Amino acid sequence: MSDLLERLRGRGWRLTAQRRVVAEVLDGDHVHYTADEVHAKATERLPEISRATVYNTLGELVSLGEVLEVSTDGRAKRYDPNAHHDHQHLVCSRCGTIRDVHLDSDPLAALPVPERFGFQVSEVSVTYRGICPNCHSHS
Amino acid sequence: MSDLLERLRGRGWRLTAQRRVVAEVLDGDHVHYTADEVHAKATERLPEISRATVYNTLGELVSLGEVLEVSTDGRAKRYDPNAHHDHQHLVCSRCGTIRDVHLDSDPLAALPVPERFGFQVSEVSVTYRGICPNCHSHS
DNA sequence: TCTTGACTTAGACAATGTCCAATGTAGGAT
DNA sequence: ATCCTACATTGGACATTGTCTAAGTCAAGA
């Protein structure tokens, strides 16, 4: 993730302790925290970081295309640092955990042109829901 | 939609003016209101209806499988009365309007079994995003 | 028509997210 | 090394969306 910080600095991002901490928290694969979870974890390393800054920074990372915003339920959005690998999500309807998954075929191809109603379609997201093995064995 | 009311009454639903009004508001195709929009429209016909009742009734309709809950952005959930026809959604990233669309192929087939990680997948939702013709011409 | 349990209500509360004015600071300029 | 200043951060008020509860109301069966 440190190359991320380099890349952003090259784009004129001012590098602050707060931004570095947020980026560090998001580091890793299969990480899907809510904004407040990111804030809680960031607070462990930088106790005075404010909620507003975390929201701002996450929003910037999303605009810059470095992080994906995932709204799986109607609850809090989750942030996915794995933005450079095309993937979709598999969500457990019981416990809410998320897995990244990779598809066989481009879901955009499944939408016939007449069904696009003149929209310039630029993005597709596919969410699979089901019960994860862990919840299933405990039921 | 009046057959809906009949069906629900058969399932032990007590038929009240409030529930009738909510169902009437949801009547129609390509209707995707938020809960508060439903409340506003319901208020036109039944001024004293409360927000809590609208939320309750929508929740019941969803549990009964008569209405779909759609969370397209991280904002308010929208309610889709077209629950009995399999379909997906196309959302305008600018103005937020939603169209129902129908796919060529089953999106479940695009997820290879090894990518299911032992989940019992029961549901798929596909959301396409883009700029609608109206927003595009006004840009 | 009476009765009763289900329904509705108003408003407090909770969770998530946004905004703003005051303050602080990264990094280029000197 | 220090100074400047535009950009970043802060805290707290506010907004939006949704949930809960206690008290009152009513649909529909007896």
Side-chain angles (χ1 to χ4, degrees):
Chain A
M1 200 86 174
S2 54
D3 47 334
L4 163 62
L5 295 176
E6 274 313 307
R7 237 181 307 154
L8 294 177
R9 210 152 60 91
R11 293 211 231 169
W13 229 45
R14 184 177 287 185
L15 190 45
T16 67
Q18 291 83 350
R19 286 174 171 180
R20 187 173 13 246
V21 167
V22 169
E24 282 169 9
V25 168
L26 284 182
D27 197 4
D29 272 354
H30 299 297
V31 167
H32 301 94
Y33 296 136
T34 64
D36 278 340
E37 283 167 358
V38 172
H39 181 228
K41 288 179 191 298
T43 297
E44 292 170 11
R45 308 198 199 189
L46 190 64
E48 65 279 19
I49 192 171
S50 79
R51 228 163 53 92
T53 295
V54 172
Y55 276 91
N56 287 343
T57 304
L58 289 172
E60 286 155 13
L61 289 170
V62 170
S63 305
L64 292 168
E66 299 291 347
V67 164
L68 289 179
E69 205 172 57
V70 187
S71 1
T72 54
D73 42 5
R75 315 294 305 281
K77 292 175 197 162
R78 293 179 175 274
Y79 294 88
D80 182 340
N82 199 9
H84 293 304
H85 295 63
D86 203 24
H87 66 279
Q88 305 300 334
H89 293 109
L90 172 55
V91 182
C92 177
S93 339
R94 185 86 44 97
C95 66
T97 49
I98 303 180
R99 298 241 14 169
D100 290 352
V101 296
H102 302 270
L103 303 192
D104 261 356
S105 59
D106 181 3
L108 189 52
L111 183 65
V113 171
E115 283 289 271
R116 299 186 189 186
F117 299 102
F119 279 55
Q120 298 204 314
V121 180
S122 57
E123 198 191 325
V124 194
S125 78
V126 185
T127 303
Y128 297 89
R129 276 168 220 283
I131 308 294
C132 74
N134 191 39
C135 284
H136 191 251
S137 64
H138 293 179
S139 67
Chain B
M1 199 88 175
S2 53
D3 48 334
L4 164 63
L5 295 176
E6 274 312 307
R7 239 181 306 154
L8 294 177
R9 208 152 61 91
R11 294 210 231 168
W13 231 45
R14 184 178 285 182
L15 190 46
T16 66
Q18 290 83 349
R19 287 174 169 180
R20 187 173 12 248
V21 167
V22 169
E24 282 169 9
V25 168
L26 284 182
D27 198 6
D29 274 352
H30 299 297
V31 166
H32 302 93
Y33 296 136
T34 64
D36 278 340
E37 283 168 358
V38 172
H39 180 229
K41 289 180 192 296
T43 297
E44 292 170 9
R45 309 197 198 188
L46 190 64
E48 65 280 19
I49 191 172
S50 79
R51 230 163 52 92
T53 295
V54 172
Y55 275 92
N56 287 342
T57 305
L58 289 172
E60 286 155 13
L61 289 170
V62 170
S63 305
L64 292 169
E66 297 291 347
V67 164
L68 289 179
E69 205 172 57
V70 186
S71 1
T72 53
D73 43 4
R75 314 295 305 280
K77 290 176 197 160
R78 292 179 174 274
Y79 294 88
D80 183 340
N82 199 9
H84 294 304
H85 295 63
D86 202 27
H87 67 279
Q88 305 300 335
H89 293 110
L90 172 55
V91 182
C92 177
S93 341
R94 184 86 43 99
C95 66
T97 49
I98 303 180
R99 298 243 12 170
D100 289 354
V101 295
H102 301 270
L103 303 192
D104 261 356
S105 58
D106 181 2
L108 189 51
L111 184 65
V113 171
E115 283 289 272
R116 297 185 191 187
F117 299 103
F119 279 57
Q120 298 205 314
V121 179
S122 58
E123 198 190 324
V124 193
S125 78
V126 185
T127 304
Y128 296 88
R129 274 167 220 284
I131 306 295
C132 74
N134 192 38
C135 283
H136 191 251
S137 65
H138 291 179
S139 66

